[in-house]
Amino acid sequence: MYTTLPDLSGDCVDLTPTKQVSDITSAATTAYAKYPDADIIEAYVTSSDEGGNFYKSISMVSTDGTIGFSMPIDDYNLYTKFEPGRKVYINMKDRYFVEEYNSTVIGSLYDNNTPTNLLDDEVGRIAIVDYKSIIKASCTKVNEEDLVNRISIETAKNDSYLNKLIEFKDVQFKSESFGKNYYDATLNDLGGATNHTIVDEFGKDIIVRISSYSNFAGRKVVAKWSNKRC
């Protein structure tokens, strides 16, 4: 949850969307494409990098709550500009988009340090000098609670919930995590993050990944969180 609300009153705009998020995501495939027109889409922010577990990326959901997607951004402290619940407008002109892990990513083209090999290109972070003209904060903000999907672990494994804000009730960590730090290389280390497993009363489980850069990485895991938000 958010602890300090930034004052965006002097930095917000109201624009008129010309396309729906679904127009973009339905056209996305596993091969990247460049969007040619200056169309505007709108969405609500669902993620926050305030705690450090999200890194240089913003998760969003369409205003009707049905489609989640993400935008990689080459900047820090994005929550001070685009906090959860903030409506944003995205100018799609010359944006690259692709389907990755059954969700859409919208960003810039990254040549993977091989500018002569187009097959090695991928959609990556929008440069710090560019993104402020591409993503604009709306003057509209909804309560973060209005975006929460309270669902079961089993339901959450449906890819339609990717990049959405979800909450589990009455879950606990598996015993191997008890007494470990949220980031703990002695448990496992996956590129600077630790995977913990949480389980519900029906025995269904799911992985929660904690970054070593999160501001709670050094805290000890407790047995149970009555409500876990992701």
Side-chain angles (χ1 to χ4, degrees):
M1 289 290 290
Y2 220 47
T3 57
T4 305
L5 293 174
D7 180 6
L8 300 179
S9 58
D11 301 306
C12 65
V13 298
D14 283 316
L15 303 176
T16 301
T18 57
K19 293 288 184 180
Q20 301 297 315
V21 169
S22 59
D23 294 323
I24 309 303
T25 59
S26 63
T29 70
T30 54
Y32 67 79
K34 184 178 183 180
Y35 196 86
D37 302 317
D39 283 314
I40 303 293
I41 60 174
E42 61 179 356
Y44 290 116
V45 175
T46 57
S47 66
S48 172
D49 60 356
E50 182 178 16
N53 210 41
F54 281 86
Y55 181 70
K56 292 189 174 183
S57 180
I58 306 175
S59 291
M60 306 179 197
V61 67
S62 56
T63 54
D64 63 2
T66 62
I67 303 173
F69 64 100
S70 65
M71 296 189 71
I73 308 292
D74 197 16
D75 199 8
Y76 303 94
N77 298 323
L78 293 166
Y79 75 93
T80 63
K81 310 170 189 70
F82 311 110
E83 79 279 34
R86 178 67 58 181
K87 182 190 284 188
V88 294
Y89 301 105
I90 301 158
N91 188 333
M92 288 298 300
K93 176 67 175 176
D94 294 334
R95 288 306 95 218
Y96 287 83
F97 62 105
V98 69
E99 181 183 307
E100 290 185 353
Y101 305 106
N102 296 319
S103 187
T104 300
V105 178
I106 300 173
S108 293
L109 194 63
Y110 174 57
D111 66 17
N112 211 20
N113 294 320
T114 56
T116 60
N117 184 4
L118 296 179
L119 294 177
D120 213 21
D121 291 350
E122 58 187 4
V123 176
R125 294 173 185 150
I126 301 173
I128 191 171
V129 296
D130 296 329
Y131 80 88
K132 292 179 183 178
S133 64
I134 295 167
I135 308 175
K136 296 288 188 181
S138 164
C139 300
T140 299
K141 182 184 183 299
V142 299
N143 191 308
E144 183 179 341
E145 294 296 319
D146 295 339
L147 301 178
V148 176
N149 296 269
R150 293 177 173 84
I151 56 177
S152 67
I153 285 178
E154 185 173 18
T155 300
K157 293 182 178 180
N158 186 309
D159 289 339
S160 66
Y161 287 98
L162 290 172
N163 291 300
K164 295 180 182 179
L165 185 60
I166 63 175
E167 183 176 287
F168 303 129
K169 185 178 181 181
D170 294 329
V171 296
Q172 69 178 32
F173 289 96
K174 284 195 169 180
S175 58
E176 56 262 32
S177 292
F178 295 173
K180 298 291 187 179
N181 291 344
Y182 283 103
Y183 167 73
D184 199 319
T186 67
L187 183 62
N188 61 74
D189 181 271
L190 298 143
T194 293
N195 279 355
H196 295 277
T197 302
I198 57 175
V199 61
D200 65 15
E201 60 183 316
F202 304 107
K204 303 296 184 181
D205 60 32
I206 197 167
I207 289 172
V208 176
R209 180 168 294 181
I210 308 298
S211 169
S212 60
Y213 294 101
S214 66
N215 60 13
F216 53 93
R219 291 171 52 190
K220 297 294 184 184
V221 172
V222 296
K224 181 178 181 180
W225 287 344
S226 60
N227 292 284
K228 171 72 179 92
R229 186 165 295 181
C230 300

